[in-house]
Amino acid sequence: ATICTADTIGLIHSRKLLRVLLDSGSSACLIKRSALPKGIIPKELATAKSFKTLAGKLQAQQMVILRDIRLPEFDKNKRIGQQCALIFDSDSCKYDMILGTNFYPRLE
């Protein structure tokens, strides 16, 4: 587990500190709905997707794009241009984000 920030989530400015699970068992990057800034308009997926993660089984029907992501525990000066994240709802998951195997940082 680690922390990260994203300058924008969707098109909304957000510098909230997010609690992140690095999960090589998950095939996708996911973000918890409660971690999204107010007023965000997510993109609907054509079909719902299910994922098995270390935090349990999760489903997603929407996605957002995160921009200017920073993982300060790894490097305070590097940022990742953008990453798509599927939105999940879960009261039992203690993480705001799950970074799965499709997290491919192109550093800027």
Side-chain angles (χ1 to χ4, degrees):
T2 188
I3 57 172
C4 85
T5 62
D7 190 48
T8 59
I9 300 175
L11 297 175
I12 308 288
H13 183 71
S14 170
R15 294 295 289 183
K16 181 179 177 181
L17 201 58
L18 302 170
R19 188 172 177 175
V20 178
L21 174 66
L22 304 172
D23 186 357
S24 62
S26 175
S27 61
C29 292
L30 301 120
I31 188 166
K32 190 187 276 188
R33 186 174 307 279
S34 61
L36 298 174
K38 300 262 189 260
I40 198 161
I41 302 172
K43 180 181 177 189
E44 296 290 328
L45 300 175
T47 59
K49 298 184 185 234
S50 295
F51 300 93
K52 287 183 182 178
T53 72
L54 289 174
K57 192 171 182 179
L58 303 172
Q59 282 199 325
Q61 290 188 314
Q62 298 175 316
M63 65 155 290
V64 292
I65 296 176
L66 292 82
R67 290 185 175 85
D68 195 19
I69 302 165
R70 294 175 192 258
L71 297 159
E73 289 185 2
F74 293 100
D75 191 326
K76 292 179 182 171
N77 299 315
K78 300 282 184 196
R79 63 181 198 266
I80 295 134
Q82 73 177 29
Q83 176 69 47
C84 292
L86 299 170
I87 302 169
F88 71 93
D89 292 298
S90 173
D91 293 331
S92 61
C93 180
K94 61 183 180 178
Y95 300 99
D96 297 315
M97 262 182 84
I98 297 171
L99 297 180
T101 56
N102 76 336
F103 179 64
Y104 184 76
R106 289 190 327 250
L107 299 176
E108 294 181 358

